[in-house]
Amino acid sequence: MAGHRRKWARAEHLHHPRSTWSARRLTKLSVLRASPRPPPRRRGFFVARRANTHSPRNRRIMTTEQMTGAQALVRALENVGVDTVFGIPGGAILPAYDPLFDSRKLRHILVRHEQGAGHAAQGYAMVTGKVGVCMATSGPGATNLVTAISDAYMDSVPIVAITGQVASSLIGTDGFQEADIVGITMPITKHNFLVTRAEDIGRTIAEAFHVAGTGRPGPVLVDIAKDALQATVAFEWPVALQLPGYRPVTRPHSKQVREAARLIVQARRPVLYVGGGVLKAGAAAELKVLAELTGAPVVTTLMAKGALPDSHPLNMGMPGMHGAVGAVGALQRADLLVALGARFDDRVTGKLDGFAPHAKVVHADIDPAEISKNRHADVPIVGDAREVIADLIVALQNEHEAGRKGDYSDWWRQLGAWRETYPLGYDTPDDGSLSPQYVIERIGEIAGPEAYYVAGVGQHQMWAAQFIKYERPGAFLNSGGAGTMGYSVPAAMGAKVGAPDTTVWAIDGDGCFQMTNQELATCAIEGIPVKVAVINNGNLGMVRQWQTLFYNERYSNTNLHSAKRIPDFVKLAEAYGCVGLRCEKAEDVDEVIAKAMEINDAPVVIDFVVHQDAMVWPMVAAGTGNDDIKIARDMAPDWENGD
């Protein structure tokens, strides 16, 4: 059935060509694709992936040139489709920077700290669908990348980190600026390479990009010895990949999919539990069709915000530690969880043995290691979320055609009561000071759904998830798994480079902001006009909240500057070549945001001075079960009488 097109029977009637679907899937689909797939994460290195040196055609187009290993590195990056590299030169990687100077295809952005390079590569990857690239030298340059690499690993972001290494003769001798970065990053990379021969550089780069961007995406490290960069080599392209055993499963098993469909139509209280894997697979359109076909409630995790529009009536909101009461209640009272690209992490489940106690579990994930890792799966499905959902739609159509369809009317009456009784909200401070939730809410409403929002970690991250409405997939970037302070500014920088015509807001806390704000200099010099909202409560806000609730208000080492403004963020912004603004009153919020929106030729930093005691609610305290969620201090929902 090669060459056929699959149709989504939706108003748009947009088509997307596929050539590998079986006849069964082609003939059974009556509800299919609503929009073309987002930019594929594999884009840019198909030529390397498909290379077959035994093919007569490839032998005809194979090119061979004499060059240094450093030139081979640059040429390989160009050939796999890289257009931007974030990095800092140093001794061991310096040979690579010489030919990089001559490249007309690669833009190198000189960051101020290697961690910033890594987070920028993440932001770039998340908005473009391509593999992000960062580069550093050996020793401390490489180790400064570790936090960003770990962050990318936890959140399945495809980046390739290229590091210089001391000459191969010095490896293992504790040479100057030597660090075993391969050993250091082994637990936090999808794969890593140590290259000591110039002739291996081109193939290794092709393999690194293939591994990073296929299957479950993630970070790959390529560590290259300095003498390999300096040696002369016969560079050939395209190359044949040598990755024995690396065969990610993308197509799900049909029997498991049919069993999942059977459980869905039999369930009385199902929930579609949607994780970040759905966004990684570009499956938002498929998810919408599945949700509307089943009529089941949907919860979207922190990493899946926008996978189903927040305004969609089937979307119950975000579950978890600071999730909506209705979303948490839906999971707890469900009799079936259909987990799609989610990993049952502790921030969603709370105390694991009390999570969704009466639910059977269908768990679909491209990474087989995630299935049944935290919660036993009654129906395990290994496969790409987009493929799984498409097959599940087919199987459900078959169930419906056979007269088997779920009745969730009683379930929705309960869900509707929770949603109406316990909506998200916040209090305005009695002393007239600025509410941080109001600030973030107004940024979302003024900038609109087409903007990208990049949050740091802490209270402001949760408020950004709660009070900005995400209507499209991929609009919200944040550090979910690792919870990295300092993520926001450099990730926003990378996002703006990847989407230069789209507004990018970094929503940061004053604690997070001070960890990586040196990248504002990069933004100013490189012409990357991000907009930064510093939610400045003078404290490490989330830690202070825990001290308030669990440590008898003993505020040990969470106050950042007492009564003085140290630093003064407006002056700091101006020192970095940015526009600095300050807002302390609710009546000025809209005007200040509008002014920032009008400035598009320089980065803008707004110091929003907010109340220090604002808290994030609802909240499930760490180590407790989701049934113990509090809607405010000492206030809990009445689960039994919620209807």
Side-chain angles (χ1 to χ4, degrees), residues 19 23 50 72 78 83 115 139 162 242 284 362-363 407 423 429 439 468 475 493 534 543 554 582 586 598 609 619 639:
S19 60
R50 293 198 298 245
E78 293 174 343
D83 54 32
Q115 182 180 343
I162 300 168
Q242 298 176 18
V362 174
H363 192 178
D407 179 5
V439 170
I468 295 176
M493 176 175 70
V534 181
V543 184
R554 289 165 55 85
R582 179 171 289 119
E598 293 172 357
V609 181
M619 180 178 181
W639 295 115

Side-chain angles (χ1 to χ4, degrees), residues 325-326 329-330 333 411 414-423 638-639 642:
V325 171
R333 301 299 185 266
W411 183 219
Q414 177 67 84
L415 296 172
W418 286 334
R419 185 152 57 184
E420 182 177 349
T421 306
Y422 306 111
D638 185 351
W639 295 115

Side-chain angles (χ1 to χ4, degrees), residues 50 86 102 114 147 201 206 242-243 251 328 388 440 443 446 457 475 485 592 596:
R50 293 198 298 245
F86 302 91
D102 297 323
E114 289 88 355
T147 296
I201 290 175
Q242 298 176 18
L243 295 168
R251 293 286 299 277
V328 172
V388 171
I440 293 171
I443 290 172
I446 293 171
V457 169
M485 293 180 69
V592 173

Side-chain angles (χ1 to χ4, degrees), residues 7 120 129 167 176 212 224 248 265 281 413 419 424 506 514-515 552 560 575 615 623:
K7 296 181 180 178
F176 176 68
I224 309 175
V265 298
R413 275 191 288 273
R419 185 152 57 184
L424 289 171
Q514 293 184 75
M515 293 193 170
N552 298 317
L560 291 170
M615 292 195 189

